[in-house]
Amino acid sequence: MASERLSSILSHLSPTKSGVAAITTKNPDDVVITLAIRTPLAKSGKGGFKDTPLDYLVYSLLKRVLEKSRIDPQLIEDICMGNVSSAKAAYIVRAASLGAGFPVTTGGSSVNRFCSSGLKAVQDIANQISMGSIDVGLAIGAESMTEGGDRLEKPFHDEIIQNSDANDCMQPMGQTSENVGRDFNISREAQDKYAAESYQRAERAQKAGWFDEEIVPISTILKDPKTGEEKRVSITRDEGPRYGTTFESLNKIRPAFPQFGDKSTGGNSSQVTDGAAAILLMKRSKAIELNQPILAKFVGATVAGLAPRIMGIGPTIAIPKLLSKLNLNLQTDIDIIEINEAFASMAVYCLNTLQIDHAKMNVRGGAIALGHPLGATGARQIVTGLSECRRQKKKILLTSMCIGTGQGMAGLFVNEQL
């Protein structure tokens, strides 16, 4: 501890570092990740979690957090859960944590910024730790899309929608995807080629066992839809990857939103999915004190807004904003990139506009092949991205996603398991 503190003092006396040198410096007050795990991702409505309510999914993941980390639950002061679909999310995280073995002294809350909710939860816990409000906290993202989606039940007030951007907040996500494809000339061919690559990468990763260290098996009840018979099963693998998917097979699928356009399909859009992910955070000094493994350093995250009708291009606004704050170059400083594949239209746009090396982006496939449990994705990307950093022995991870109603969010992490 004394050497860590001396290092911190010396770093303040030394000339100011910038860029990669600054973010890779190790100080006792750094916010670090000591555990990053996720459930398998299951097909909504028909997959392994179709009979698993959100509360049980969260409860099961929280139990695995305690098992894997071996941390005294008394030390975890707050749990923040990203979730989109459930109005009862705050009830669920509190009750599930108590049932899983956390004490009554551990707080609980929920956040919802649509597809970035999991990352928003990580940012919330990290900020609390950084400010000294808590020492140890847990961020999770969880979604049962089997139980419900995020569609508006009624239009906004007439006075609100007199503003065209406010009115556009009511556009279905499929419509915004077609807007991106049409406005920026992202062809159906380009979208299907991108989607085929996502499926092929996910297949390769799953067959090679790359996902195995990310995933904690979940034991649950599965009901036979014909007989009603219930049996206990262990869900261990992602259900989204479709082996043998090709451009040609995807190109035969009919448009999913013909009323809005002809480019987005069920094959080149993210899958509707159930799943959850968890990130345990604390200061570096606390991790050393508790003998917890330091997986990565949380550097920061930011949000940016844009026109709701083209919400899909949000990462192209959020990523430059975050990197400019950190004096980093996307092409030369970033090793691994996870951008949520809400739709192939936005993924192709982001890839091209930001001039990303595709070999660095979504190496194990993305939401098109793996699925997109809305509130979980922001946390799931961190779990997957850090695992890939470890596999490749790379340092700098960037995650980002578009957000319904016209926003983008991005987060940056330094892998320390080289």
mmCIF file of all heavy atoms in Angstrom, residues 338-380:
data_model
loop_
_atom_site.group_PDB
_atom_site.id
_atom_site.type_symbol
_atom_site.label_atom_id
_atom_site.label_comp_id
_atom_site.label_asym_id
_atom_site.label_seq_id
_atom_site.Cartn_x
_atom_site.Cartn_y
_atom_site.Cartn_z
ATOM 1 N N GLU A 338 -16.061 -2.890 -29.184
ATOM 2 C CA GLU A 338 -17.376 -3.542 -29.158
ATOM 3 C C GLU A 338 -18.432 -2.477 -29.446
ATOM 4 O O GLU A 338 -18.664 -1.591 -28.623
ATOM 5 C CB GLU A 338 -17.637 -4.178 -27.789
ATOM 6 C CG GLU A 338 -16.868 -5.454 -27.520
ATOM 7 C CD GLU A 338 -17.493 -6.673 -28.185
ATOM 8 O OE1 GLU A 338 -18.735 -6.725 -28.307
ATOM 9 O OE2 GLU A 338 -16.732 -7.570 -28.597
ATOM 10 N N ILE A 339 -19.049 -2.546 -30.617
ATOM 11 C CA ILE A 339 -20.158 -1.652 -30.954
ATOM 12 C C ILE A 339 -21.417 -2.498 -31.094
ATOM 13 O O ILE A 339 -21.426 -3.490 -31.827
ATOM 14 C CB ILE A 339 -19.899 -0.856 -32.250
ATOM 15 C CG1 ILE A 339 -18.745 0.132 -32.020
ATOM 16 C CG2 ILE A 339 -21.157 -0.111 -32.698
ATOM 17 C CD1 ILE A 339 -18.426 1.013 -33.227
ATOM 18 N N ASN A 340 -22.458 -2.122 -30.391
ATOM 19 C CA ASN A 340 -23.673 -2.932 -30.415
ATOM 20 C C ASN A 340 -24.311 -2.926 -31.794
ATOM 21 O O ASN A 340 -24.598 -1.873 -32.365
ATOM 22 C CB ASN A 340 -24.686 -2.406 -29.386
ATOM 23 C CG ASN A 340 -25.891 -3.318 -29.291
ATOM 24 O OD1 ASN A 340 -25.748 -4.538 -29.262
ATOM 25 N ND2 ASN A 340 -27.083 -2.739 -29.250
ATOM 26 N N GLU A 341 -24.551 -4.114 -32.301
ATOM 27 C CA GLU A 341 -25.156 -4.261 -33.628
ATOM 28 C C GLU A 341 -26.676 -4.255 -33.519
ATOM 29 O O GLU A 341 -27.336 -5.271 -33.717
ATOM 30 C CB GLU A 341 -24.681 -5.565 -34.283
ATOM 31 C CG GLU A 341 -23.187 -5.630 -34.509
ATOM 32 C CD GLU A 341 -22.698 -7.027 -34.872
ATOM 33 O OE1 GLU A 341 -23.505 -7.989 -34.797
ATOM 34 O OE2 GLU A 341 -21.518 -7.158 -35.214
ATOM 35 N N ALA A 342 -27.239 -3.092 -33.207
ATOM 36 C CA ALA A 342 -28.696 -2.995 -33.148
ATOM 37 C C ALA A 342 -29.288 -3.387 -34.495
ATOM 38 O O ALA A 342 -30.257 -4.142 -34.585
ATOM 39 C CB ALA A 342 -29.112 -1.578 -32.771
ATOM 40 N N PHE A 343 -28.676 -2.869 -35.546
ATOM 41 C CA PHE A 343 -29.039 -3.179 -36.930
ATOM 42 C C PHE A 343 -27.760 -3.140 -37.764
ATOM 43 O O PHE A 343 -26.837 -2.377 -37.452
ATOM 44 C CB PHE A 343 -30.041 -2.170 -37.495
ATOM 45 C CG PHE A 343 -31.347 -2.116 -36.753
ATOM 46 C CD1 PHE A 343 -31.542 -1.191 -35.734
ATOM 47 C CD2 PHE A 343 -32.383 -2.984 -37.062
ATOM 48 C CE1 PHE A 343 -32.739 -1.132 -35.045
ATOM 49 C CE2 PHE A 343 -33.589 -2.941 -36.372
ATOM 50 C CZ PHE A 343 -33.764 -2.009 -35.354
ATOM 51 N N ALA A 344 -27.732 -3.914 -38.828
ATOM 52 C CA ALA A 344 -26.563 -3.869 -39.707
ATOM 53 C C ALA A 344 -26.408 -2.493 -40.343
ATOM 54 O O ALA A 344 -25.291 -2.063 -40.630
ATOM 55 C CB ALA A 344 -26.675 -4.943 -40.788
ATOM 56 N N SER A 345 -27.514 -1.790 -40.541
ATOM 57 C CA SER A 345 -27.438 -0.456 -41.159
ATOM 58 C C SER A 345 -26.527 0.450 -40.347
ATOM 59 O O SER A 345 -25.612 1.090 -40.887
ATOM 60 C CB SER A 345 -28.836 0.165 -41.258
ATOM 61 O OG SER A 345 -29.449 0.260 -39.974
ATOM 62 N N MET A 346 -26.740 0.509 -39.036
ATOM 63 C CA MET A 346 -25.931 1.389 -38.193
ATOM 64 C C MET A 346 -24.522 0.848 -37.994
ATOM 65 O O MET A 346 -23.557 1.615 -37.906
ATOM 66 C CB MET A 346 -26.613 1.666 -36.853
ATOM 67 C CG MET A 346 -27.023 0.487 -36.002
ATOM 68 S SD MET A 346 -25.726 -0.443 -35.130
ATOM 69 C CE MET A 346 -24.945 0.837 -34.174
ATOM 70 N N ALA A 347 -24.378 -0.466 -37.947
ATOM 71 C CA ALA A 347 -23.053 -1.056 -37.759
ATOM 72 C C ALA A 347 -22.156 -0.754 -38.953
ATOM 73 O O ALA A 347 -20.984 -0.389 -38.794
ATOM 74 C CB ALA A 347 -23.172 -2.567 -37.550
ATOM 75 N N VAL A 348 -22.701 -0.895 -40.161
ATOM 76 C CA VAL A 348 -21.930 -0.581 -41.373
ATOM 77 C C VAL A 348 -21.595 0.903 -41.413
ATOM 78 O O VAL A 348 -20.465 1.289 -41.732
ATOM 79 C CB VAL A 348 -22.716 -0.992 -42.639
ATOM 80 C CG1 VAL A 348 -22.004 -0.491 -43.906
ATOM 81 C CG2 VAL A 348 -22.885 -2.508 -42.696
ATOM 82 N N TYR A 349 -22.571 1.745 -41.056
ATOM 83 C CA TYR A 349 -22.320 3.186 -41.049
ATOM 84 C C TYR A 349 -21.199 3.533 -40.075
ATOM 85 O O TYR A 349 -20.280 4.292 -40.415
ATOM 86 C CB TYR A 349 -23.594 3.948 -40.681
ATOM 87 C CG TYR A 349 -23.384 5.456 -40.630
ATOM 88 C CD1 TYR A 349 -23.524 6.223 -41.774
ATOM 89 C CD2 TYR A 349 -22.999 6.081 -39.444
ATOM 90 C CE1 TYR A 349 -23.298 7.597 -41.740
ATOM 91 C CE2 TYR A 349 -22.763 7.447 -39.398
ATOM 92 C CZ TYR A 349 -22.922 8.199 -40.551
ATOM 93 O OH TYR A 349 -22.678 9.556 -40.507
ATOM 94 N N CYS A 350 -21.249 2.999 -38.872
ATOM 95 C CA CYS A 350 -20.231 3.298 -37.861
ATOM 96 C C CYS A 350 -18.860 2.796 -38.295
ATOM 97 O O CYS A 350 -17.845 3.494 -38.136
ATOM 98 C CB CYS A 350 -20.617 2.675 -36.519
ATOM 99 S SG CYS A 350 -22.072 3.413 -35.749
ATOM 100 N N LEU A 351 -18.823 1.594 -38.822
ATOM 101 C CA LEU A 351 -17.566 1.002 -39.285
ATOM 102 C C LEU A 351 -16.903 1.888 -40.337
ATOM 103 O O LEU A 351 -15.707 2.184 -40.263
ATOM 104 C CB LEU A 351 -17.845 -0.388 -39.859
ATOM 105 C CG LEU A 351 -16.661 -1.271 -40.229
ATOM 106 C CD1 LEU A 351 -15.887 -1.703 -39.000
ATOM 107 C CD2 LEU A 351 -17.155 -2.506 -40.996
ATOM 108 N N ASN A 352 -17.706 2.342 -41.295
ATOM 109 C CA ASN A 352 -17.174 3.147 -42.401
ATOM 110 C C ASN A 352 -16.876 4.579 -41.990
ATOM 111 O O ASN A 352 -15.822 5.131 -42.333
ATOM 112 C CB ASN A 352 -18.151 3.136 -43.570
ATOM 113 C CG ASN A 352 -18.312 1.756 -44.193
ATOM 114 O OD1 ASN A 352 -17.455 0.888 -44.008
ATOM 115 N ND2 ASN A 352 -19.393 1.538 -44.912
ATOM 116 N N THR A 353 -17.796 5.199 -41.275
ATOM 117 C CA THR A 353 -17.639 6.613 -40.923
ATOM 118 C C THR A 353 -16.475 6.838 -39.963
ATOM 119 O O THR A 353 -15.725 7.815 -40.099
ATOM 120 C CB THR A 353 -18.947 7.154 -40.306
ATOM 121 O OG1 THR A 353 -20.006 6.987 -41.252
ATOM 122 C CG2 THR A 353 -18.814 8.623 -39.939
ATOM 123 N N LEU A 354 -16.317 5.936 -39.003
ATOM 124 C CA LEU A 354 -15.224 6.064 -38.036
ATOM 125 C C LEU A 354 -13.924 5.454 -38.551
ATOM 126 O O LEU A 354 -12.891 5.540 -37.889
ATOM 127 C CB LEU A 354 -15.606 5.396 -36.714
ATOM 128 C CG LEU A 354 -16.767 6.054 -35.949
ATOM 129 C CD1 LEU A 354 -17.161 5.189 -34.750
ATOM 130 C CD2 LEU A 354 -16.395 7.458 -35.487
ATOM 131 N N GLN A 355 -13.988 4.827 -39.738
ATOM 132 C CA GLN A 355 -12.816 4.193 -40.366
ATOM 133 C C GLN A 355 -12.165 3.190 -39.409
ATOM 134 O O GLN A 355 -10.953 3.190 -39.185
ATOM 135 C CB GLN A 355 -11.805 5.256 -40.821
ATOM 136 C CG GLN A 355 -12.375 6.204 -41.868
ATOM 137 C CD GLN A 355 -11.371 7.247 -42.334
ATOM 138 O OE1 GLN A 355 -10.514 7.694 -41.575
ATOM 139 N NE2 GLN A 355 -11.471 7.642 -43.591
ATOM 140 N N ILE A 356 -13.011 2.331 -38.883
ATOM 141 C CA ILE A 356 -12.551 1.302 -37.948
ATOM 142 C C ILE A 356 -12.000 0.111 -38.715
ATOM 143 O O ILE A 356 -12.564 -0.323 -39.723
ATOM 144 C CB ILE A 356 -13.716 0.853 -37.040
ATOM 145 C CG1 ILE A 356 -14.178 2.007 -36.151
ATOM 146 C CG2 ILE A 356 -13.330 -0.347 -36.200
ATOM 147 C CD1 ILE A 356 -15.448 1.707 -35.370
ATOM 148 N N ASP A 357 -10.911 -0.433 -38.231
ATOM 149 C CA ASP A 357 -10.391 -1.696 -38.742
ATOM 150 C C ASP A 357 -11.339 -2.796 -38.279
ATOM 151 O O ASP A 357 -11.446 -3.066 -37.076
ATOM 152 C CB ASP A 357 -8.979 -1.919 -38.191
ATOM 153 C CG ASP A 357 -8.370 -3.244 -38.642
ATOM 154 O OD1 ASP A 357 -9.050 -4.027 -39.317
ATOM 155 O OD2 ASP A 357 -7.198 -3.498 -38.277
ATOM 156 N N HIS A 358 -12.027 -3.433 -39.217
ATOM 157 C CA HIS A 358 -13.048 -4.415 -38.846
ATOM 158 C C HIS A 358 -12.458 -5.576 -38.045
ATOM 159 O O HIS A 358 -13.167 -6.230 -37.270
ATOM 160 C CB HIS A 358 -13.767 -4.933 -40.091
ATOM 161 C CG HIS A 358 -15.079 -5.585 -39.799
ATOM 162 N ND1 HIS A 358 -15.889 -6.131 -40.767
ATOM 163 C CD2 HIS A 358 -15.752 -5.802 -38.627
ATOM 164 C CE1 HIS A 358 -16.982 -6.640 -40.211
ATOM 165 N NE2 HIS A 358 -16.920 -6.456 -38.921
ATOM 166 N N ALA A 359 -11.173 -5.843 -38.206
ATOM 167 C CA ALA A 359 -10.536 -6.928 -37.461
ATOM 168 C C ALA A 359 -10.537 -6.657 -35.956
ATOM 169 O O ALA A 359 -10.429 -7.591 -35.144
ATOM 170 C CB ALA A 359 -9.106 -7.128 -37.948
ATOM 171 N N LYS A 360 -10.685 -5.384 -35.558
ATOM 172 C CA LYS A 360 -10.702 -5.016 -34.141
ATOM 173 C C LYS A 360 -12.103 -4.970 -33.559
ATOM 174 O O LYS A 360 -12.268 -4.921 -32.343
ATOM 175 C CB LYS A 360 -10.085 -3.616 -33.952
ATOM 176 C CG LYS A 360 -8.630 -3.475 -34.286
ATOM 177 C CD LYS A 360 -8.199 -2.027 -34.023
ATOM 178 C CE LYS A 360 -6.732 -1.808 -34.281
ATOM 179 N NZ LYS A 360 -6.335 -0.392 -33.987
ATOM 180 N N MET A 361 -13.113 -4.940 -34.411
ATOM 181 C CA MET A 361 -14.482 -4.658 -33.959
ATOM 182 C C MET A 361 -15.339 -5.913 -33.918
ATOM 183 O O MET A 361 -15.447 -6.641 -34.901
ATOM 184 C CB MET A 361 -15.116 -3.613 -34.889
ATOM 185 C CG MET A 361 -16.564 -3.290 -34.594
ATOM 186 S SD MET A 361 -17.157 -1.947 -35.653
ATOM 187 C CE MET A 361 -18.856 -2.453 -35.916
ATOM 188 N N ASN A 362 -15.950 -6.148 -32.751
ATOM 189 C CA ASN A 362 -16.858 -7.287 -32.569
ATOM 190 C C ASN A 362 -16.221 -8.583 -33.070
ATOM 191 O O ASN A 362 -16.767 -9.292 -33.910
ATOM 192 C CB ASN A 362 -18.197 -7.027 -33.266
ATOM 193 C CG ASN A 362 -18.927 -5.830 -32.696
ATOM 194 O OD1 ASN A 362 -18.484 -5.216 -31.722
ATOM 195 N ND2 ASN A 362 -20.048 -5.480 -33.293
ATOM 196 N N VAL A 363 -15.056 -8.881 -32.507
ATOM 197 C CA VAL A 363 -14.251 -10.014 -32.949
ATOM 198 C C VAL A 363 -15.012 -11.328 -32.787
ATOM 199 O O VAL A 363 -14.850 -12.246 -33.589
ATOM 200 C CB VAL A 363 -12.924 -10.055 -32.154
ATOM 201 C CG1 VAL A 363 -12.072 -11.249 -32.573
ATOM 202 C CG2 VAL A 363 -12.152 -8.753 -32.349
ATOM 203 N N ARG A 364 -15.866 -11.400 -31.765
ATOM 204 C CA ARG A 364 -16.626 -12.629 -31.510
ATOM 205 C C ARG A 364 -18.059 -12.546 -32.038
ATOM 206 O O ARG A 364 -18.923 -13.315 -31.629
ATOM 207 C CB ARG A 364 -16.642 -12.910 -30.005
ATOM 208 C CG ARG A 364 -15.255 -13.036 -29.405
ATOM 209 C CD ARG A 364 -15.268 -13.337 -27.930
ATOM 210 N NE ARG A 364 -13.899 -13.462 -27.419
ATOM 211 C CZ ARG A 364 -13.590 -13.874 -26.208
ATOM 212 N NH1 ARG A 364 -14.544 -14.203 -25.354
ATOM 213 N NH2 ARG A 364 -12.323 -13.957 -25.826
ATOM 214 N N GLY A 365 -18.281 -11.619 -32.960
ATOM 215 C CA GLY A 365 -19.640 -11.371 -33.417
ATOM 216 C C GLY A 365 -20.316 -10.391 -32.485
ATOM 217 O O GLY A 365 -19.812 -10.086 -31.396
ATOM 218 N N GLY A 366 -21.464 -9.881 -32.911
ATOM 219 C CA GLY A 366 -22.181 -8.905 -32.099
ATOM 220 C C GLY A 366 -23.632 -9.282 -31.919
ATOM 221 O O GLY A 366 -24.015 -10.456 -32.032
ATOM 222 N N ALA A 367 -24.462 -8.279 -31.674
ATOM 223 C CA ALA A 367 -25.861 -8.515 -31.311
ATOM 224 C C ALA A 367 -26.676 -9.170 -32.416
ATOM 225 O O ALA A 367 -27.690 -9.808 -32.144
ATOM 226 C CB ALA A 367 -26.509 -7.194 -30.892
ATOM 227 N N ILE A 368 -26.241 -9.014 -33.662
ATOM 228 C CA ILE A 368 -26.949 -9.678 -34.765
ATOM 229 C C ILE A 368 -26.883 -11.190 -34.586
ATOM 230 O O ILE A 368 -27.868 -11.900 -34.795
ATOM 231 C CB ILE A 368 -26.358 -9.249 -36.125
ATOM 232 C CG1 ILE A 368 -26.725 -7.787 -36.421
ATOM 233 C CG2 ILE A 368 -26.839 -10.158 -37.250
ATOM 234 C CD1 ILE A 368 -26.026 -7.195 -37.628
ATOM 235 N N ALA A 369 -25.732 -11.683 -34.157
ATOM 236 C CA ALA A 369 -25.540 -13.125 -33.992
ATOM 237 C C ALA A 369 -25.767 -13.606 -32.568
ATOM 238 O O ALA A 369 -26.200 -14.742 -32.365
ATOM 239 C CB ALA A 369 -24.127 -13.503 -34.432
ATOM 240 N N LEU A 370 -25.475 -12.755 -31.599
ATOM 241 C CA LEU A 370 -25.548 -13.184 -30.199
ATOM 242 C C LEU A 370 -26.842 -12.788 -29.520
ATOM 243 O O LEU A 370 -27.310 -13.473 -28.612
ATOM 244 C CB LEU A 370 -24.377 -12.579 -29.413
ATOM 245 C CG LEU A 370 -22.983 -13.004 -29.870
ATOM 246 C CD1 LEU A 370 -21.919 -12.217 -29.126
ATOM 247 C CD2 LEU A 370 -22.780 -14.495 -29.673
ATOM 248 N N GLY A 371 -27.426 -11.665 -29.939
ATOM 249 C CA GLY A 371 -28.644 -11.172 -29.320
ATOM 250 C C GLY A 371 -28.414 -9.886 -28.560
ATOM 251 O O GLY A 371 -27.282 -9.528 -28.217
ATOM 252 N N HIS A 372 -29.509 -9.192 -28.289
ATOM 253 C CA HIS A 372 -29.445 -7.868 -27.665
ATOM 254 C C HIS A 372 -30.494 -7.746 -26.562
ATOM 255 O O HIS A 372 -31.556 -7.164 -26.756
ATOM 256 C CB HIS A 372 -29.651 -6.809 -28.751
ATOM 257 C CG HIS A 372 -29.721 -5.401 -28.262
ATOM 258 N ND1 HIS A 372 -29.102 -4.968 -27.107
ATOM 259 C CD2 HIS A 372 -30.347 -4.306 -28.784
ATOM 260 C CE1 HIS A 372 -29.341 -3.671 -26.955
ATOM 261 N NE2 HIS A 372 -30.099 -3.256 -27.949
ATOM 262 N N PRO A 373 -30.209 -8.316 -25.370
ATOM 263 C CA PRO A 373 -31.101 -8.088 -24.230
ATOM 264 C C PRO A 373 -30.908 -6.646 -23.760
ATOM 265 O O PRO A 373 -29.867 -6.302 -23.196
ATOM 266 C CB PRO A 373 -30.619 -9.102 -23.189
ATOM 267 C CG PRO A 373 -29.207 -9.423 -23.579
ATOM 268 C CD PRO A 373 -29.059 -9.127 -25.038
ATOM 269 N N LEU A 374 -31.868 -5.798 -24.019
ATOM 270 C CA LEU A 374 -31.695 -4.343 -24.013
ATOM 271 C C LEU A 374 -30.882 -3.804 -22.839
ATOM 272 O O LEU A 374 -29.872 -3.131 -23.017
ATOM 273 C CB LEU A 374 -33.069 -3.667 -24.049
ATOM 274 C CG LEU A 374 -33.954 -4.042 -25.229
ATOM 275 C CD1 LEU A 374 -35.337 -3.401 -25.088
ATOM 276 C CD2 LEU A 374 -33.325 -3.639 -26.547
ATOM 277 N N GLY A 375 -31.315 -4.067 -21.616
ATOM 278 C CA GLY A 375 -30.635 -3.507 -20.459
ATOM 279 C C GLY A 375 -29.317 -4.172 -20.142
ATOM 280 O O GLY A 375 -28.491 -3.619 -19.408
ATOM 281 N N ALA A 376 -29.078 -5.353 -20.683
ATOM 282 C CA ALA A 376 -27.870 -6.120 -20.364
ATOM 283 C C ALA A 376 -26.701 -5.811 -21.291
ATOM 284 O O ALA A 376 -25.540 -5.973 -20.912
ATOM 285 C CB ALA A 376 -28.174 -7.616 -20.409
ATOM 286 N N THR A 377 -26.991 -5.387 -22.502
ATOM 287 C CA THR A 377 -25.953 -5.281 -23.534
ATOM 288 C C THR A 377 -24.770 -4.414 -23.123
ATOM 289 O O THR A 377 -23.610 -4.774 -23.359
ATOM 290 C CB THR A 377 -26.567 -4.768 -24.850
ATOM 291 O OG1 THR A 377 -27.385 -5.808 -25.416
ATOM 292 C CG2 THR A 377 -25.496 -4.380 -25.848
ATOM 293 N N GLY A 378 -25.021 -3.275 -22.497
ATOM 294 C CA GLY A 378 -23.926 -2.377 -22.119
ATOM 295 C C GLY A 378 -22.940 -3.021 -21.171
ATOM 296 O O GLY A 378 -21.739 -2.733 -21.205
ATOM 297 N N ALA A 379 -23.411 -3.917 -20.308
ATOM 298 C CA ALA A 379 -22.530 -4.668 -19.419
ATOM 299 C C ALA A 379 -21.953 -5.882 -20.135
ATOM 300 O O ALA A 379 -20.781 -6.228 -19.958
ATOM 301 C CB ALA A 379 -23.287 -5.098 -18.160
ATOM 302 N N ARG A 380 -22.757 -6.549 -20.944
ATOM 303 C CA ARG A 380 -22.312 -7.738 -21.676
ATOM 304 C C ARG A 380 -21.130 -7.405 -22.592
ATOM 305 O O ARG A 380 -20.165 -8.183 -22.710
ATOM 306 C CB ARG A 380 -23.479 -8.286 -22.502
ATOM 307 C CG ARG A 380 -23.311 -9.721 -23.028
ATOM 308 C CD ARG A 380 -22.469 -9.847 -24.264
ATOM 309 N NE ARG A 380 -22.944 -9.046 -25.368
ATOM 310 C CZ ARG A 380 -22.244 -8.830 -26.470
ATOM 311 N NH1 ARG A 380 -21.017 -9.317 -26.614
ATOM 312 N NH2 ARG A 380 -22.743 -8.084 -27.442
#
